[in-house]
Amino acid sequence: MGRGLLCHTTMATQGNKWAIVMSRGIELSDQVVELDFLYPSEGVHKRLDAGYFITSVAATQDQVAVVLSFPKQKPSNTTQETHRTPSFPCELIKENRTKNLYITSLCYGRSIV
């Protein structure tokens, strides 16, 4: 694992099919998947508070899955923000780049009203 970088996993969906990429040799001490029919907010926040990082997110019309990983050694000076928006977040992306925050995962899913 490079300095300041968290190794990422990948997950995607198409219709009702799931695709995942699983890796060996990355420096993680734990990894979990939070799965829900709406958004696994409670489980995600619990893991983030415990030091996990979101490393992948994907959604079908029926489910949302969030992969959270715990690095063996936490990178220094690391920040992660999550956002849910009703449309593509062009302005939010521009604003966050000025704070040196970059997209590490993005997915599209059903809107929850």
Side-chain angles (χ1 to χ4, degrees):
M1 181 162 61
R3 291 198 187 277
L5 297 176
L6 182 65
C7 295
H8 294 279
T9 56
T10 302
M11 178 172 53
T13 62
Q14 170 64 39
N16 65 352
K17 297 185 189 305
W18 292 82
I20 61 171
V21 174
M22 299 181 74
S23 303
R24 181 184 331 177
I26 58 177
E27 297 190 24
L28 300 175
S29 62
D30 193 23
Q31 187 175 66
V32 297
V33 177
E34 294 288 344
L35 181 67
D36 200 297
F37 292 104
L38 297 175
Y39 177 77
S41 185
E42 184 178 320
V44 168
H45 287 286
K46 175 182 157 190
R47 303 292 183 173
L48 292 174
D49 290 345
Y52 285 75
F53 290 89
I54 296 173
T55 52
S56 190
V57 61
T60 66
Q61 286 295 335
D62 300 322
Q63 295 178 307
V64 176
V66 180
V67 176
L68 297 108
S69 302
F70 195 91
K72 285 186 178 177
Q73 184 176 12
K74 183 179 178 185
S76 62
N77 197 23
T78 302
T79 300
Q80 188 172 62
E81 291 184 9
T82 60
H83 302 276
R84 291 185 290 164
T85 63
S87 59
F88 191 81
C90 291
E91 290 303 313
L92 184 63
I93 291 168
K94 288 178 189 175
E95 291 170 21
N96 280 321
R97 283 194 180 151
T98 66
K99 298 186 285 183
N100 289 324
L101 290 168
Y102 298 92
I103 297 170
T104 54
S105 191
L106 175 73
C107 86
Y108 173 81
R110 145 185 82 158
S111 295
I112 307 300
V113 180

